[in-house]
Amino acid sequence: MARALIDDCFAHHPKRLTAAEALELLRARIGPVVERETVALAEAHGRILAEQVVSARDVPGFDNVAVDGFAFSHGDLAPARPTRLALMPGRAAAGHPFSGRLARGAALRVLTGAPMPEGADTALMQEDVELDGTAVVIPPGVKRGANRRRAGEDVRAGQIALHPGTRLRPQDVGVAATLGRAALEVFRPLAVALLSTGDELREPGAPLAPGETYDANRTILFGLLRGLGCRITDFGILPDRAHAVEQALRKAAAEHDAVLTSGGASRGDEDHVVRAIERLGQLHFWQIAVKPGRPLAFGRLGRAVFIGLPGNPVAAVICFLRFARPLLTALGGGRWPEPRSFLVPADFAMRKKPDRREYLRARLIAGPDGRIRAQRIEREGSGILTSLSEADGLVEVAEDTTHIEPGDPVEFVPFSEFGVTG
Ligand code: AMP
Ligand code: MG
């Protein structure tokens, strides 16, 4: 449970954590804080499943035919030459089973989705047989059970079809539908308060005075939180004033499961967020050996979990994807996400300090040999947001790597692995 975040053991952790240690600590401590609710399938898309879905039936529910054609018993076929089978009157169609039983040496007209007629075990497409008046001629070499879909071949009765903690994609909701489920038990959306901090920030569209800049983080974070299915309250931009920051944080914490801020989370003169959390709740301030990244500030404010992201937009996004996203997912009842990386040859060279993990913005390009390569986006500053916009994902460079040469395999994590899609 998230309450465990306030355990003292957190506060006394070594000054500098590796990314893996930080993630492991969070993972071990965080669990769902949201209640369950039952929603109709149409409302279940994108929600996190709270129950284990066990199938009450076989899917498909009966052996059925996969083609428009003719059904027969494989035992009636001659092994090495064409077989002539008498066509029985009647047919089987989807939703209209054949009421009789197939006679020996006979075939029946069948349509896709029809229950396999009793006495038949095999079917052939109409294009593959010869129709000869009241008989069909089946060529040799047909396999027993061809074009038969077996009862339960998709899901068996009693089988677990969906696991709790799954973020439901359309195909997952579709599986629930095939089981006959009209509703699913899901977690209610995590309620997140979103705030920016900084005297220099203005809303996009407003005029700028000298020294001011537009708030980009709130827009990005809004999209990222929405991608996680959160219910978001926009608290706007907070000025760099201790009292205003405290008031807003207190209100945000009272009404939400989590409070997400960007900016003001260092130890500078105007970094009021961390001081406010220290006064109002419990703060953990981890130095994580990651670039780009500043200290990760998180803690607890009343019943809410607090996450303080850096102000620089690129650092804010990368910190969100790497640390805030799994944390928020777990608070909302989801399985801890493990983004997969794919080995891709580098299209760049780099030197790096040991003992820290680096995330490079990268795009995928076709190399001279036509194979995919990871190209580093050169404009690297952590305020340069267009570099993220041009990227297809991040290259994760491990702690013990000190140099990369062109052609070396690097770990590329597509943005989609962080749940970021168009
Ligand atoms: P801070 O972490 O508050 O010291 O901010 C670090 C840098 O990030 C400063 O250059 C800020 O102007 C910039 N910054 C902070 N918040 C935002 C934001 N919401 N949108 C764009 N830039 C920001
Ligand atoms: Mg600031």
Side-chain angles (χ1 to χ4, degrees), residues 342 344-348 361-366 371-377 394-395 408 410-412:
F342 302 90
V344 175
D347 195 55
F348 57 88
R361 285 146 268 171
R363 68 162 78 82
L364 293 180
I365 57 160
R371 295 202 184 168
I372 236 167
R373 298 168 84 83
Q375 183 181 60
R376 185 176 182 182
I377 290 172
L394 302 175
V395 165
D408 285 355
V410 291
E411 294 189 53
F412 178 79

Side-chain angles (χ1 to χ4, degrees), residues 196-198 200-201 213-218 240 262-266 270-271 294 309-313:
S196 291
T197 73
E200 77 284 23
L201 300 178
T213 184
Y214 290 120
D215 179 355
N217 293 354
R218 227 163 80 248
D240 287 322
S262 71
S266 307
E270 296 298 344
D271 290 323
R294 297 272 284 281
L309 299 172
N312 275 308

Side-chain angles (χ1 to χ4, degrees), residues 231-243:
R231 181 172 70 68
I232 309 159
T233 310
D234 185 353
F235 272 71
I237 301 165
L238 303 185
D240 287 322
R241 271 190 290 115
H243 183 66

Side-chain angles (χ1 to χ4, degrees), residues 73 80 93 97 108 126 174 217 227 265 347 406:
S73 167
L108 184 75
Q126 56 208 21
N217 293 354
D347 195 55

Side-chain angles (χ1 to χ4, degrees), residues 34-359:
V34 285
E35 309 83 48
R36 296 146 180 253
E37 61 187 13
T38 299
V39 296
L41 291 194
E43 303 303 317
H45 295 279
R47 303 290 296 272
I48 294 174
L49 186 64
E51 60 168 318
Q52 174 170 276
V53 175
V54 177
S55 184
R57 59 186 294 267
D58 278 348
V59 181
F62 47 89
D63 285 9
N64 67 95
V65 177
V67 291
D68 290 337
F70 298 90
F72 45 85
S73 167
H74 190 266
D76 288 345
L77 300 182
R81 54 185 170 75
T83 310
R84 200 183 151 82
L85 299 172
L87 201 51
M88 284 190 76
R91 62 170 205 173
H96 302 280
F98 181 59
S99 51
R101 187 188 160 82
L102 209 63
R104 289 226 49 188
L108 184 75
R109 174 74 174 145
V110 289
L111 298 176
T112 305
M116 183 63 85
E118 223 181 301
D121 58 9
T122 305
L124 215 50
M125 240 194 260
Q126 56 208 21
E127 293 87 334
D128 294 342
V129 308
E130 238 177 83
L131 250 182
D132 171 13
T134 56
V136 288
V137 179
I138 310 292
V142 177
K143 282 206 187 102
R144 181 184 299 277
N147 301 308
R148 170 181 54 175
R149 301 190 282 217
R150 300 305 298 259
E153 72 177 15
D154 192 348
V155 187
R156 287 222 156 276
Q159 191 181 321
I160 300 169
L162 296 167
H163 295 270
T166 302
R167 184 178 301 287
L168 293 166
R169 302 169 299 169
Q171 58 267 48
D172 304 321
V173 182
V175 167
T178 68
L179 307 184
R181 293 288 302 265
L184 288 170
E185 199 184 342
V186 298
F187 287 106
R188 76 143 164 86
L190 194 73
V192 181
L194 177 62
L195 304 77
S196 291
T197 73
D199 280 344
E200 77 284 23
L201 300 178
R202 290 290 169 270
E203 293 290 353
L208 287 184
E212 293 180 347
T213 184
Y214 290 120
D215 179 355
N217 293 354
R218 227 163 80 248
T219 298
I220 309 172
L221 294 169
F222 191 91
L224 291 170
L225 289 171
R226 177 175 278 180
L228 288 180
C230 298
R231 181 172 70 68
I232 309 159
T233 310
D234 185 353
F235 272 71
I237 301 165
L238 303 185
D240 287 322
R241 271 190 290 115
H243 183 66
V245 169
E246 273 189 26
Q247 260 192 331
L249 287 176
R250 195 180 282 131
K251 181 168 162 51
E255 297 163 358
H256 298 84
D257 303 307
V259 177
L260 182 68
T261 67
S262 71
S266 307
R267 294 275 186 197
D269 297 347
E270 296 298 344
D271 290 323
H272 299 286
V273 174
V274 294
R275 280 200 292 277
I277 303 293
E278 275 170 339
R279 267 196 299 275
L280 301 174
Q282 288 86 25
L283 182 78
H284 306 294
F285 207 60
W286 286 352
Q287 302 288 341
I288 306 179
V290 161
K291 184 188 171 195
R294 297 272 284 281
L296 176 66
F298 76 99
R300 177 162 279 286
L301 241 181
R303 291 185 48 244
V305 168
F306 163 78
I307 307 172
L309 299 172
N312 275 308
V314 173
V317 171
I318 293 179
C319 251
F320 179 93
L321 296 179
R322 210 63 200 86
F323 300 104
R325 175 177 176 262
L327 205 155
L328 293 168
T329 301
L331 288 174
R335 254 198 311 281
W336 191 262
E338 300 282 2
R340 289 167 299 178
S341 63
F342 302 90
L343 284 181
V344 175
D347 195 55
F348 57 88
M350 81 171 289
R351 312 232 150 255
K352 157 180 165 301
K353 288 187 191 158
D355 302 329
R356 73 176 185 199
R357 192 182 289 193
E358 290 199 20
Y359 292 97

